[in-house]
Amino acid sequence: FMLEMVNNIPDKKEYINAINKTRVLGGTNSLYNLFVAQDRKKVEQMTAQFGQGGTTLPDRDNYLKNDTRNTAIQEAYKKYITALFTLVGSSADKAQQNANTIYEFEKKLATAQWPRVDMRDPHKTYNKFLVADFSKTTPGFNWAEILAQLNVKGEDSILVNNPSFFKAAD
């Protein structure tokens, strides 16, 4: 089911739809994370909150640092992706090409992610937007539609921990 869905993604809009479908089915937090929690400035209110995502390796530095340790992690990850594509029937060349594409895509996302220290700053990560306004800053994402697909209804505003990440992802 999942491979068939992925193989039939023609464009970015359908990619986002697939992310949302897998999220609702209990899948991973692909490009972005969604959770509902207290609004830190209005604690009596629960609010949909979006966070940066899109990478498989546990830290952005695994993509961005080129020291011995991280280079070994990067190469092992590319080898792992290649193996997965080979297991589902891709040729060795196509599997390697796909692995490189995925790795470079994730590396671009890692570049847009904030470091851990910034992500622990409650003031920096508190960015409240009207849903319509956030859609204007990231025109490739229709946040009202995304919220509906994720079964979040009635939200006129959302919290976004790293708005610059979403602009880059857009």
Side-chain angles (χ1 to χ4, degrees):
F1 159 73
M2 297 299 276
L3 288 176
E4 185 178 315
M5 181 176 69
V6 169
N7 285 332
N8 293 315
I9 296 175
D11 56 29
K12 181 178 170 181
K13 180 175 174 37
E14 286 305 313
Y15 171 63
I16 293 169
N17 290 342
I19 288 171
N20 297 331
K21 282 180 191 173
T22 58
R23 176 75 173 131
V24 169
L25 294 172
T28 63
N29 293 324
S30 301
L31 187 58
Y32 42 80
N33 304 313
L34 166 72
F35 58 98
V36 177
Q38 285 180 310
D39 181 319
R40 285 173 276 163
K41 293 187 178 180
K42 291 185 177 183
V43 294
E44 71 285 349
Q45 183 177 334
M46 300 298 282
T47 303
Q49 302 184 34
F50 285 94
Q52 64 189 24
T55 55
T56 303
L57 297 175
D59 190 88
R60 69 189 289 272
D61 288 346
N62 294 134
Y63 296 90
L64 304 179
K65 288 188 176 180
N66 292 318
D67 56 27
T68 304
R69 178 180 179 274
N70 285 296
T71 300
I73 290 169
Q74 294 162 13
E75 292 308 313
Y77 179 49
K78 290 178 201 173
K79 186 176 177 181
Y80 170 72
I81 301 169
T82 302
L84 290 178
F85 276 104
T86 303
L87 288 170
V88 297
S90 296
S91 69
D93 289 342
K94 184 64 175 169
Q96 182 66 50
Q97 180 185 15
N98 289 344
N100 289 336
T101 299
I102 288 169
Y103 180 80
E104 290 304 318
F105 177 69
E106 290 188 19
K107 186 175 181 179
K108 285 181 182 178
L109 293 174
T111 302
Q113 291 178 344
W114 287 345
R116 289 182 192 190
V117 171
D118 291 343
M119 291 303 296
R120 288 192 293 261
D121 183 332
H123 301 289
K124 189 170 188 174
T125 58
Y126 186 91
N127 302 284
K128 195 165 195 169
F129 291 89
L130 291 173
V131 172
D133 290 344
F134 194 54
S135 292
K136 290 176 188 171
T137 68
T138 55
F141 295 101
N142 180 332
W143 293 103
E145 187 176 289
I146 290 168
L147 286 166
Q149 290 174 347
L150 295 171
N151 297 323
V152 177
K153 297 174 177 40
E155 293 290 318
D156 64 343
S157 61
I158 55 176
L159 289 172
V160 180
N161 68 8
N162 177 353
S164 60
F165 170 82
F166 288 91
K167 289 177 185 176
D170 184 48

